[in-house]
Amino acid sequence: MATVSSLGAGTSMSSTLSTLYDGLESSEQTRLTPITQQQTSYKAKLTAWGVVQTSLTKLQTAADALKDTSAIASAKVSSTNNAFSATLANSATAGTYSVEVSQLAASQSLLSPEVKNKDTDLGNSSLSSRTITISQPGQKDSLTVTLASDKTSLADIRDAINAKQGSVTASIIKADDETYYLALTSRDSGTTNAMTVSTDDSELAKYISYNATDKTKSAMNEQVAALDAKVKINGIEITRSSNTITDAPEGVTLSLIKTNVDNPETLSVVKDNAPMTAAIQAYVDAYNSLQTTISNQTKYTAVDQGSDSQSTSNGDLLGDGTLRNIQTRLRSLLSTSQGTGSVSTLSQIGITQDLTGKLTVDSTKLTKALDESPTDVLNFLSGDGKTTGFATQASSQLKDILGTDGTLQSATDGINKTLKRLSEKYDQVNDQITATMARYKAQFTSLSTLMSSMDSTSSYLTQQFDAINS
């Protein structure tokens, strides 16, 4: 079959047919131009949405940090302490406290008499089953285990107690003389968790039993007594069952480490606005960066009057309703009143919008609010941590926008569907062009063949006439 370059070869129409074919092909290819232009436009939109997503994600990170007020509380521990460590909640206020630890809380531990083999049954073999009951005043329900007649060894008792995953743990201790002991330890410290151990098997009771008020009913020995923690804070005696004290002083959690009788340590809690100020500034910076991104992606550059083409410097998301909706939602939250305290709006902590829609921070006003109304500031930002609070609502709003079923995903899904449709259309039109040009080529080839035949006939006749005339 003739190629494009060979159309009309050997005939007077060679150049004409080739030029005509190339012109037709160029004309057909222009049918693809609107499609490629649309593809370029939508790909640019997809890229632009990627830039917007990055800015939104940064803002969400800043909002998440701002709502986590426990990590940016307005107070800090300035003292160095050895007998205890201290952590602060949102409600902690500046203050100085004298802390004297006179006793640490302890979990009771009991030890059975020795046995020669941890796997030897110790119970009355005539009983088909027996029950071991461990009761503690601080536990609502007693821990009970039932053992079969062939499951009364130390190992069996240990496994049965631990399988309950209750308020008591059991372990076996092997001594140097190859004897074994069962140790029972209360999970929780304090006197309210002291154990009373009993069993309805008199033989087993010779190994597993304990009654603090009646030693004659106790086969086990107390190795560690149940103790409460005892602390003096500013001279006030405090007793707790745990070495972690969460309610004295208010907003401070004390973790007791060791005693310091007659040598009290000073706990100093001081104001610290730096973490909160930094978190607020980070949110403001991320918000302003997003506004710049939106402005760049939606900008409009005016063209000369009468021009029928838009400026190539226009933003790729110019006129995009989805992006404008996102911007409006985020802006509307800025003026929403939160809570009922002395701080209910951003302006009350020194954050306002300028004429461009960006945020500015009055550091003097912010510092004053943090100094005078720290709790109200925290409540304004975090609220209940679920549905109320400026930072909490901002975080939720951004998660909704950026989520797998969110606004941004819907926008990009729509663009990708359009690009897929344009790609299919491009292939369809391109196939049509290929078919059309193949038809033209066949027609031109036929014409070329015909012209070649006519040229041959003409040449033959000319030769015959010349021969006759000669």
Side-chain angles (χ1 to χ4, degrees):
M1 187 173 182
T3 62
V4 175
S5 60
S6 65
L7 289 177
T11 72
S12 59
M13 295 185 65
S14 174
S15 176
T16 302
L17 289 178
S18 294
T19 300
L20 180 59
Y21 181 90
D22 292 342
L24 289 171
E25 186 174 39
S26 297
S27 177
E28 287 291 324
Q29 290 292 332
T30 59
R31 295 170 57 190
L32 295 173
T33 301
I35 301 175
T36 56
Q37 289 176 339
Q38 290 182 70
Q39 287 177 318
T40 299
S41 175
Y42 279 101
K43 287 177 181 177
K45 291 179 185 294
L46 200 60
T47 300
W49 273 115
V51 175
V52 172
Q53 181 178 17
T54 299
S55 291
L56 286 168
T57 301
K58 290 180 179 178
L59 183 61
Q60 183 185 22
T61 299
D64 289 344
L66 191 57
K67 79 170 184 178
D68 185 14
T69 51
S70 62
I72 51 176
S74 57
K76 67 178 180 179
V77 176
S78 63
S79 58
T80 299
N81 304 107
N82 298 311
F84 61 88
S85 62
T87 55
L88 308 180
N90 290 347
S91 56
T93 56
T96 302
Y97 309 91
S98 172
V99 181
E100 181 180 349
V101 183
S102 58
Q103 179 173 286
L104 294 177
S107 297
Q108 186 185 40
S109 180
L110 306 176
L111 195 67
S112 74
E114 67 177 53
V115 298
K116 298 299 182 181
N117 191 320
K118 65 182 177 67
D119 296 312
T120 299
D121 288 324
L122 306 174
N124 185 341
S125 60
S126 65
L127 298 176
S128 60
S129 67
R130 75 278 299 135
T131 299
I132 297 176
T133 302
I134 305 175
S135 58
Q136 298 164 283
Q139 302 296 326
K140 181 180 178 181
D141 300 315
S142 298
L143 187 152
T144 61
V145 295
T146 300
L147 305 172
S149 58
D150 60 345
K151 294 291 184 181
T152 61
S153 68
L154 292 189
D156 291 327
I157 297 170
R158 174 200 62 196
D159 295 342
I161 291 174
N162 290 338
K164 290 288 185 178
Q165 299 184 52
S167 58
V168 175
T169 60
S171 60
I172 292 177
I173 300 174
K174 181 181 179 181
D176 288 342
D177 60 359
E178 299 297 318
T179 57
Y180 297 86
Y181 301 82
L182 179 71
L184 299 181
T185 304
S186 173
R187 180 193 62 194
D188 301 318
S189 60
T191 56
T192 60
N193 290 294
M195 296 176 282
T196 296
V197 184
S198 62
T199 177
D200 54 1
D201 184 335
S202 59
E203 289 298 317
L204 192 60
K206 296 177 182 179
Y207 301 92
I208 310 297
S209 60
Y210 182 80
N211 189 320
T213 60
D214 188 353
K215 296 298 183 180
T216 63
K217 296 181 180 180
S218 301
M220 305 185 81
N221 294 316
E222 184 179 63
Q223 300 301 304
V224 178
L227 297 175
D228 290 327
K230 294 183 179 180
V231 187
K232 283 185 179 181
I233 300 179
N234 286 355
I236 300 173
E237 292 188 358
I238 294 173
T239 301
R240 298 290 187 271
S241 63
S242 170
N243 287 320
T244 300
I245 300 175
T246 60
D247 54 358
E250 184 180 14
V252 179
T253 296
L254 295 178
S255 297
L256 307 184
I257 300 172
K258 64 180 182 179
T259 59
N260 62 338
V261 180
D262 298 328
N263 187 27
E265 296 181 10
T266 298
L267 168 64
S268 296
V269 180
V270 298
K271 291 288 297 179
D272 183 19
N273 293 333
M276 179 65 72
T277 300
I280 289 174
Q281 188 63 55
Y283 181 86
V284 168
D285 291 343
Y287 182 89
N288 290 343
S289 177
L290 174 62
Q291 298 311 306
T292 298
T293 296
I294 293 176
S295 177
N296 290 338
Q297 299 302 332
T298 60
K299 71 177 179 179
Y300 171 74
T301 302
V303 296
D304 295 334
Q305 186 175 4
S307 174
D308 58 357
S309 61
Q310 294 295 322
S311 173
T312 56
S313 63
N314 286 341
D316 293 314
L317 297 178
L318 174 64
D320 191 292
T322 300
L323 183 55
R324 287 301 183 191
N325 177 262
I326 291 175
Q327 186 179 42
T328 300
R329 289 174 62 187
L330 293 173
R331 281 180 174 174
S332 65
L333 186 61
L334 300 177
S335 58
T336 301
S337 179
Q338 304 283 347
T340 58
S342 63
V343 177
S344 59
T345 63
L346 283 174
S347 61
Q348 290 174 316
I349 59 175
I351 302 175
T352 56
Q353 276 186 289
D354 61 20
L355 294 177
T356 67
K358 292 185 177 181
L359 300 179
T360 59
V361 180
D362 184 333
S363 58
T364 300
K365 194 171 184 178
L366 174 58
T367 299
K368 182 179 179 181
L370 291 173
D371 286 340
E372 298 179 358
S373 308
T375 301
D376 288 342
V377 173
L378 296 177
N379 288 336
F380 166 75
L381 292 172
S382 62
D384 62 6
K386 297 178 181 178
T387 59
T388 62
F390 170 78
T392 298
Q393 291 183 354
S395 176
S396 297
Q397 191 178 74
L398 287 160
K399 285 180 181 177
D400 178 61
I401 292 171
L402 291 166
T404 54
D405 296 323
T407 307
L408 190 144
Q409 187 65 48
S410 296
T412 54
D413 284 349
I415 293 174
N416 282 319
K417 287 180 180 178
T418 300
L419 284 171
K420 182 179 179 181
R421 189 165 57 249
L422 287 171
S423 179
E424 292 171 350
K425 185 176 181 180
Y426 181 95
D427 291 341
Q428 180 184 18
V429 173
N430 194 52
D431 288 343
Q432 293 174 354
I433 293 172
T434 300
T436 299
M437 295 313 298
R439 187 172 65 254
Y440 283 147
K441 183 180 289 187
Q443 292 173 348
F444 282 17
T445 300
S446 296
L447 178 60
S448 177
T449 301
L450 177 61
M451 291 300 298
S452 178
S453 176
M454 292 177 66
D455 285 345
S456 296
T457 302
S458 176
S459 177
Y460 172 75
L461 292 175
T462 300
Q463 290 176 359
Q464 294 301 314
F465 283 128
D466 289 342
I468 294 172
N469 293 331
S470 62

